[in-house]
Each structure stands twice: as structure tokens, then as C-alpha cells.
Amino acid sequence: MALLTLDEAKAQLNITGTAEDAELQAYVNAVTPVIERFVGPVEPREVTEAHDGGVRPVLVLRQTPVLSLTSVASVLTGGTAPPVEALVLVDPDTGEVRRRDGGYLRGLLQVTYQAGRTEVSPTINLAARILVQHLWRTQRPTRGGGLAGGGDDYSVSEPIPGFGYAIPNRVLELLEPYRLPPGVA
């Protein structure tokens, strides 16, 4: 499953030939991390991360949404970790994990899990298409012979921290319902 395919990008740009496929594929590849920075992983992937549990009732995974837990292991020599079957994923959107028996998670743990989505929302796909279109248009003059750039339809009212003016307002509006909760990145 891909966030955006080359064929979908070509359809958005009304490109029928193959002469620009290699260049356009670079744009397609580049939008995935940009979109995922706002909404979390879209394309499913395995994630392994260490958590210094100390002693606590809840563990919060860093990449959301979470599809499933794969394994939990103690990083410390002689340490123990609960089997993955003893854990429950309380909230896939926040990555909150607890023990089924209500006990505490202890020590330094290595957690492996699947993050991403089972399907790409049409709205997220459309945001990716529009972002590719915006980036593509900034490199080429419009067909009517106008100046290169996005124009009013692709305006960016203020820079986004970490992105500058690369994300048009319409993309941000489409992604807003899927945006990661504060503190999740």
C-alpha cells in the first residue's frame, strides 16, 4: 500500500507520457515523509524502540497510529518483560499500552510493533496529490505561459515550522482531521 502512486500523481497533473516519470517519482517519494509528519505513519511499517520504563502502568509508543504489538523484550541482562500476549493496546491513536492484569511495566524495554494504517484515507491521498501538484508547479511555468509558481490557488499564508512555505493551505486543511495529537511525533 502506497500513500501515493506515480499513476495517481500523473493523473493529478494530467500527464499521459512517460518522459518525466523518473523526476515525478522523486516528487511522489518526497511527499510521504511530509504528509506523515502531520498524520503519523500512513504506509505500514515495523518500528522497534527502546523505552525506559522504570516502574509505570502505561507505556506510550512513539509512532502512531499503532496497528499491532509484535514483541516486548527486556534490554537488561537478566531482566524480564511481559509476553506480548499479556499487553493490551488501549488506544491505537495515542499508542497507549498497558498490562492486561493491571500490573506495572518495569525496566528498560525494547518494543517492536506495526505502525501505520490499513488503508490510505481518500482525503490523505488527495492532500498528497495536491502537494505533489504544488511542488511540481513551482518548478515549471504554467501551460498558459505564465510565471512559475503556485499562484493564489496554492498560497501559503504563513510558514510552517520546519517546512517554510512548502505546504499549501489547502493541504493543511485536508490533513487537519488526521493530525497527530499534541506531543506525538
Side-chain angles (χ1 to χ4, degrees), residues 38 44 46 60 79 85 92 104 118 123 131 137 154:
F38 283 96
E46 183 174 88
V60 179
E85 299 81 25
Y104 287 88
T118 56
T123 306
L131 183 54
R137 287 182 63 176
Y154 291 90

Side-chain angles (χ1 to χ4, degrees), residues 18-118:
T18 59
E20 298 173 301
D21 281 6
E23 183 181 5
L24 183 54
Q25 185 64 56
Y27 283 75
V28 169
N29 295 345
V31 299
T32 297
V34 174
I35 297 291
E36 288 185 342
R37 182 164 175 195
F38 283 96
V39 302
V42 175
E43 299 175 5
R45 67 188 58 130
E46 183 174 88
V47 178
T48 300
E49 51 192 37
H51 289 267
D52 186 2
V55 178
R56 60 180 159 179
V58 176
L59 180 75
V60 179
L61 303 174
R62 295 183 191 102
Q63 293 194 36
T64 62
V66 177
L67 294 170
S68 64
L69 294 171
T70 306
S71 68
V72 180
S74 176
V75 177
L76 303 174
T77 304
T80 60
V84 73
E85 299 81 25
L87 302 176
V88 61
L89 178 61
V90 176
D91 187 349
D93 291 330
T94 62
E96 185 178 323
V97 176
R98 294 180 184 266
R99 289 181 57 133
R100 288 187 189 279
D101 64 7
Y104 287 88
L105 296 158
R106 301 173 191 277
L108 187 58
L109 302 174
Q110 180 173 302
V111 182
T112 302
Y113 60 98
Q114 291 290 315
R117 291 172 165 79
T118 56

Side-chain angles (χ1 to χ4, degrees), residues 154-158 167-174:
Y154 291 90
S155 65
V156 180
S157 61
E158 57 187 68
I167 312 293
N169 294 332
R170 60 169 54 188
V171 171
L172 294 174
E173 289 172 9
L174 287 168

Side-chain angles (χ1 to χ4, degrees), residues 129-141:
R129 289 176 187 237
I130 292 170
L131 183 54
V132 164
Q133 186 176 18
H134 168 71
L135 296 172
W136 189 257
R137 287 182 63 176
T138 62
Q139 299 302 313
R140 286 162 176 71

